[in-house]
Amino acid sequence: MSFQILINGISTGTVYALIAIGFALVFNILKFSNFSYGATMTASAFIAYFLVASKGWGLVPTLICSALAGALISLIGEFVGFRRILKNHSPSTYFFVSSITLGSLYEGLVTLKAGTNFYVYPNFFETPTIQLFQTVISKENIIMLVISVAALLALAFVIQKTSIGRAIRAVSFDRDTAQLMGINATLIIQAVFIISGIFGGLAGCFLGIKYTLTATMGSLVVKGFIASVIGGLGSLTGAVIGAMLLGIMEAIFLSTMGSGWATIASFAVMLVFLLIRPQGIAGSNVQEKA
Amino acid sequence: MNLFLYVLTQVCITLVSVCGIYILTGLTGMFSLGSAAFMAIGAYVSGLLVLNTGMNMYLAFLLAIAFAVCVGYVIGFPVVRLRRDYISLVTLGFGESIAQLILLLSQYTGGAFGLIGIPRRVNVWIALIIAILVIILTALFKCSKYGRQCIAIKSDELAAKAMGINTSRVKMIAFLLSCAMTALAGCLSAFNIGYVGPTDFGWKKSADWVIMVFFGGVNSLTGSIFGGAFLTFLPQYMQALNKYRAVVYAVLVLFILNFKPKGVFGEWELTPKNMRRALMRFNRKQRKVKER
């Protein structure tokens, strides 16, 4: 395994980690799988494309715009799709349907605006690659790696060290008790959706840079789901580990089998994982509470 | 009239798969975002069998359904023991993989061009008869022991387990039945249109079916069938609406979820007893109007 593949794998893995984390945050707090997440990524990447990148404003404004758009979409989604269901104490199936519907709504809106065309982010660098230890590494990969790692570290700091992080952990553990302790659960859920949206926006922008922008780009969210299953559903550390593993595995598959088979192989890996170790690497076993 | 027959065929094919989704989602409370992939399996396997070996169409249907059920078993085996979230995640991944597989095996499946030249032998009457049979089968399943066990699992899996229901077995049965029905819908669609393309089977299609089931009322088979028929008819007759189809669907369902979470029909079923009751209520109202 060459150094090149490893670097590519790690940089893909960090993007998957962003997806998996955004997904796992919402899963932790509301105990359901947020399927609108993929479409949130697509929509924010497109907003960033039309508002910023097409005007030639460079990488950093594009990323910021995408992250903000993701946060906004996610917040609106929480208000439109989940607030009332949460208040009515509806069964968890309604969260599923609501998230699927939101996803299909976002994707429909993007398709209305963009059609089925391909869009490509402009080249953000004059020389797209650099030479390092006899391997060619694209600058985009390095930027992705740096920004993703920074975002993950920032999140870890927020979750572990700040009071809002403590509140998020409390609400994920037991919403009712946390509310009795004086935590405003609605506010915390909103905060979680905003964080998840920021991660989704960043991931969407990166995916758009790495591949092309299409209205169906959101299906790449599958990688994030696979990563969180491998790592352990609902565990943040597990999601990062799973995403890294998946990224490196995929880079290896990609160089040995080609892109089509790589998708199928990573799906097979997920099935095998569910057979052998369904609780994932981190071993967090999310059971239905009685 | 021609348009009507065409739309009716589409509705029948959709209803076959909506019945499958009703069993999976409405009765058992599991969500599959890869049901459309089973439709693809049905369409491709039956189409390839007839094109390459020239066998009887119905035999090809049966073989395709059997194949889809086998694949469903492999996919379902690891996940039925786990939380219900896993089945949605796994089927979503499965749908993406099937789409890739169809493109990769292009020397058999025609790749991005799709499978062309399938004999168009399914007309509206065959589709109608099969749809009615499938609906009757679903209704019987709902009334059977398994149907009631599915409903128990949906309301509370732990309690169902405590009552001695073999939850993973019942979930598997529901999942396989749903796979079989979506595969049948795929067969019908392939032999109706005469063409199968690789892009028709994304997660959006599965999501559309779930939306149809929830629109009509997730606990009621009548409601699901109404939802499927209504949401298929509507865009066909409003061509202007077709572009906005996905958005309109989504907004409709968001309204229903927020303000009438049980769907249009709630738990009401179209049984003779309920019809009689509704008729009596109607008569009483009429009499009151007359007395005034």
Side-chain angles (χ1 to χ4, degrees):
Chain A
M1 186 170 66
S2 74
F3 186 62
Q4 174 101 49
I5 294 175
L6 194 66
I7 288 285
N8 284 345
I10 289 175
S11 104
T12 319
T14 45
V15 179
Y16 291 168
L18 289 183
I19 306 175
I21 285 279
F23 170 73
L25 274 172
V26 173
F27 183 88
N28 255 337
I29 206 148
L30 292 182
K31 307 285 180 272
F32 83 102
S33 312
N34 183 9
F35 285 105
S36 67
Y37 195 56
T40 307
M41 285 173 9
T42 319
S44 43
F46 265 97
I47 290 173
Y49 177 82
F50 283 119
L51 285 186
V52 179
S54 59
K55 297 194 176 72
W57 276 9
L59 179 63
V60 176
T62 312
L63 277 175
I64 293 173
C65 175
S66 184
L68 287 181
L72 190 67
I73 294 169
S74 192
L75 194 63
I76 294 173
E78 191 266 342
F79 185 71
V80 176
F82 306 121
R83 179 72 61 81
R84 266 187 93 93
I85 298 175
L86 198 65
K87 227 162 60 186
N88 294 344
H89 293 283
S90 302
S92 61
T93 45
Y94 286 97
F95 286 108
F96 266 108
V97 184
S98 208
S99 70
I100 294 171
T101 318
L102 278 177
S104 135
L105 177 65
Y106 299 153
E107 206 175 300
L109 289 175
V110 170
T111 316
L112 277 183
K113 168 78 182 144
T116 46
N117 300 335
F118 288 83
Y119 293 84
V120 185
Y121 275 118
N123 276 333
F124 291 116
F125 305 103
E126 280 173 12
T127 49
T129 54
I130 54 168
Q131 199 95 11
L132 191 73
F133 307 125
Q134 292 149 349
T135 49
V136 183
I137 301 164
S138 77
K139 277 187 187 167
E140 284 163 357
N141 273 352
I142 295 176
I143 293 277
M144 276 179 213
L145 190 65
V146 171
I147 293 182
S148 306
V149 169
L152 291 175
L153 287 178
L155 179 73
F157 176 77
V158 168
I159 294 270
Q160 293 299 336
K161 299 288 178 195
T162 62
S163 63
I164 189 167
R166 208 177 307 132
I168 289 175
R169 276 182 290 152
V171 176
S172 330
F173 192 73
D174 188 334
R175 193 167 60 240
D176 293 332
T177 314
Q179 237 160 351
L180 290 177
M181 298 294 144
I183 293 170
N184 185 346
T186 317
L187 206 67
I188 296 301
I189 290 171
Q190 275 175 344
V192 165
F193 268 91
I194 289 175
I195 298 174
S196 149
I198 289 173
F199 276 71
L202 285 178
C205 194
F206 285 145
L207 289 176
I209 293 170
K210 211 170 160 62
Y211 308 104
T212 48
L213 279 174
T214 60
T216 54
M217 189 181 79
S219 62
L220 281 169
V221 77
V222 169
K223 312 284 190 198
F225 292 166
I226 294 178
S228 42
V229 169
I230 292 177
L233 212 56
S235 151
L236 296 186
T237 340
V240 175
I241 297 171
M244 286 300 179
L245 266 182
L246 183 71
I248 294 170
M249 268 190 299
E250 233 177 34
I252 297 169
F253 292 147
L254 210 62
S255 64
T256 51
M257 294 191 269
S259 76
W261 289 110
T263 312
I264 298 166
S266 43
F267 171 70
V269 167
M270 171 165 81
L271 269 192
V272 170
F273 247 93
L274 282 178
L275 263 180
I276 306 171
R277 196 176 161 78
Q279 67 271 42
I281 294 173
S284 75
N285 202 350
V286 193
Q287 282 291 340
E288 307 256 3
K289 277 182 193 152
Chain B
M1 198 59 196
N2 245 339
L3 175 70
F4 176 74
L5 286 183
Y6 167 76
V7 176
L8 189 63
T9 321
Q10 295 302 312
V11 168
C12 291
I13 293 170
T14 313
L15 284 187
V16 172
S17 42
V18 163
C19 279
I21 302 296
Y22 173 73
I23 288 179
L24 192 71
T25 306
L27 284 182
T28 326
M30 298 191 286
F31 286 89
S32 160
L33 290 177
S35 300
F38 288 100
M39 189 180 187
I41 290 178
Y44 271 100
V45 171
S46 62
L48 283 172
L49 279 175
V50 168
L51 280 183
N52 290 341
T53 64
M55 66 166 62
N56 184 295
M57 182 177 79
Y58 295 102
L59 188 63
F61 280 14
L62 284 182
L63 286 176
I65 292 171
F67 184 73
V69 168
C70 292
V71 175
Y73 188 78
V74 174
I75 303 296
F77 181 71
V79 289
V80 286
R81 298 166 298 149
L82 307 170
R83 250 179 89 98
R84 277 175 285 177
D85 298 69
Y86 282 99
I87 204 155
S88 335
L89 297 173
V90 167
T91 46
L92 183 62
F94 174 66
E96 297 301 315
S97 313
I98 283 289
Q100 287 293 333
L101 200 64
I102 289 169
L103 290 180
L104 284 172
L105 300 175
S106 56
Q107 73 255 45
Y108 306 110
T109 59
F113 296 108
L115 202 59
I116 307 160
I118 302 169
R120 300 179 59 175
R121 271 189 234 143
V122 170
N123 56 23
V124 59
W125 307 117
I126 295 178
L128 193 63
I129 290 169
I130 291 185
I132 290 171
L133 285 179
V134 168
I135 290 170
I136 291 173
L137 182 71
T138 314
L140 288 178
F141 182 81
K142 190 186 174 186
C143 299
S144 74
K145 178 180 100 185
Y146 294 111
R148 274 175 277 129
Q149 290 183 346
C150 285
I151 295 173
I153 289 174
K154 178 181 145 188
S155 336
D156 192 333
E157 192 164 342
L158 206 64
K161 222 182 222 167
M163 295 305 287
I165 295 173
N166 187 346
T167 49
S168 44
R169 182 156 161 268
V170 174
K171 273 155 92 180
M172 189 58 131
I173 289 173
F175 183 59
L176 292 185
L177 207 53
S178 145
C179 291
M181 285 183 184
T182 30
L184 178 60
C187 299
L188 290 177
S189 142
F191 282 83
N192 176 48
I193 305 171
Y195 165 79
V196 192
T199 52
D200 309 342
F201 305 108
W203 72 274
K204 284 289 288 292
K205 192 149 201 158
S206 317
D208 275 354
W209 290 336
V210 173
I211 285 173
M212 285 170 185
V213 167
F214 264 77
F215 178 77
V218 65
N219 294 317
S220 148
L221 178 61
T222 319
S224 303
I225 288 166
F226 167 78
F230 180 72
L231 290 182
T232 318
F233 261 115
L234 193 67
Q236 298 282 0
Y237 276 97
M238 298 185 181
Q239 286 301 323
L241 200 71
N242 215 352
K243 196 175 152 199
Y244 301 96
R245 198 183 58 114
V247 177
V248 170
Y249 274 22
V251 171
L252 268 181
V253 174
L254 278 178
F255 269 111
I256 284 194
L257 279 176
N258 276 324
F259 299 109
K260 195 171 181 348
K262 294 230 152 128
V264 174
F265 277 75
E267 308 204 353
W268 194 83
E269 287 283 13
L270 191 71
T271 54
K273 198 177 149 197
N274 278 339
M275 294 237 314
R276 227 174 296 140
R277 227 180 258 167
L279 206 67
M280 270 162 67
R281 209 173 298 149
F282 181 72
N283 282 343
R284 221 175 293 151
K285 224 178 249 173
Q286 292 290 76
R287 222 175 296 146
K288 262 184 202 165
V289 172
K290 264 182 204 164
E291 276 166 16
R292 249 177 240 164

